[in-house]
Amino acid sequence: MAELFRRTGPLIAWMALLTTLLWVAFMIVLPQVMMVDFSFRPSLPPSKIGGPEDVYTLKNYATLWANTIHRGIFFKTIWSSMLVTVLALAVCYPIAYHLAQVARGQAAALLIVALIVPFWVNEILRTFAWFLILSRNGIFNSALVGLGLIDRPIQFIDGNIGVMIGMVYAYILFMVFPLYNAMESLDRHQIEAARDLGASTWRIHWRVVIPHAKPGIAVGCIMTFMLSAGTIAVPRLLGGPRSRWFTEVIYSWFFDGGDWNQGAAYAFALLILCIVFILVMMRLFRVSLQDIAK
């Protein structure tokens, strides 16, 4: 904070600080407070709001627990989001390491551009492109059938496979760049010293690279998990009834059923689980908020 005032002067610094506080208050804190309030109130017609029936209750949360279908979708969404996070980490770790420690000059620049340029396209269009690739008569199935690897097309859409692929691709940058940012600051001499001492590649990564990149891994996992758990576009386009996401249930409560109180309870339950995941990741990687902020 002192550095901000020193660099920009008191007027600019106070304006920036006030703008940030207003944005956080009106765009984050206030909507969340309203959602919590809605979640503990019954769904009533406008004429009864504020009357004797308008009291705080746990009925909306009890509905989530009592509805076995919605409860199953809820836990499946959490588990699937964790799986997407693990898959994204497995795919992005070698890419980030290559960018930070191996690629040089133009090769590194071209790789970064290749990662960024596809994301200039809207997420809906990118997801629909995967729908065309993975559909029953899409490019991937046609190639597999043409090569004689399968007898008939595989149903990637209307299942979890297509959703997983689409999510890993959709949020790849949110995993790559935190990892890259952490690995870039690693002194290459440490890797060379470990290699000279006879350490294997696996041991170098386990004892040198991964401990140094823990904040980046934590940030990437948190961002990927949060985005995966809260997405609605990817499961709607690449999934089906068997791969329904909890956000689709929330959407139905708000806009199809018109029950904002029940939808708020479902949304707040998802938020609580996401916060628990963040705390677990910070505990697992032994990082603090200050480490993540770097």
Side-chain angles (χ1 to χ4, degrees), residues 11 77 151 190 207 266 284 287:
L11 179 61
T77 299
D151 297 327
Q190 295 185 36
R207 298 296 298 272
Y266 277 41
L284 179 64
V287 296

Side-chain angles (χ1 to χ4, degrees), residues 97 190-199 201 204:
Y97 179 79
Q190 295 185 36
I191 299 175
E192 294 172 1
R195 188 176 290 113
D196 292 340
L197 291 171
T201 301
I204 290 172

Side-chain angles (χ1 to χ4, degrees), residues 242-270:
R242 292 182 300 170
S243 58
R244 199 178 184 198
W245 222 247
F246 194 66
T247 47
E248 296 179 88
V249 179
I250 296 173
Y251 182 93
S252 296
W253 278 119
F254 271 103
F255 299 104
D256 297 334
D259 192 340
W260 285 33
N261 303 84
Q262 190 67 65
Y266 277 41
F268 188 61
L270 181 61

Side-chain angles (χ1 to χ4, degrees), residues 11 20 42 50 55 88 93 97 103 127 161 169 191 197 230 234 253 276 290:
L11 179 61
T20 303
V55 294
Y93 182 89
Y97 179 79
T127 305
I161 297 177
Y169 174 75
I191 299 175
L197 291 171
V234 177
W253 278 119
V276 169
Q290 185 177 358

Side-chain angles (χ1 to χ4, degrees), residues 61-130:
Y61 293 93
T63 299
L64 170 60
W65 186 255
N67 192 317
T68 55
I69 296 176
H70 289 176
R71 189 174 72 237
I73 295 173
F74 177 74
F75 287 112
K76 192 218 74 169
T77 299
I78 299 300
W79 164 250
S80 299
S81 298
M82 294 174 63
L83 181 57
V84 169
T85 303
V86 172
L87 292 174
L89 178 61
V91 170
C92 296
Y93 182 89
I95 298 174
Y97 179 79
H98 183 81
L99 269 173
Q101 298 292 330
V102 179
R104 293 290 184 276
Q106 188 176 6
L110 287 175
L111 183 54
I112 291 176
V113 170
L115 286 170
I116 294 176
V117 167
F119 287 81
W120 290 355
V121 180
N122 183 273
E123 181 183 353
I124 301 295
L125 297 178
R126 285 187 279 112
T127 305
F128 189 70
W130 275 106

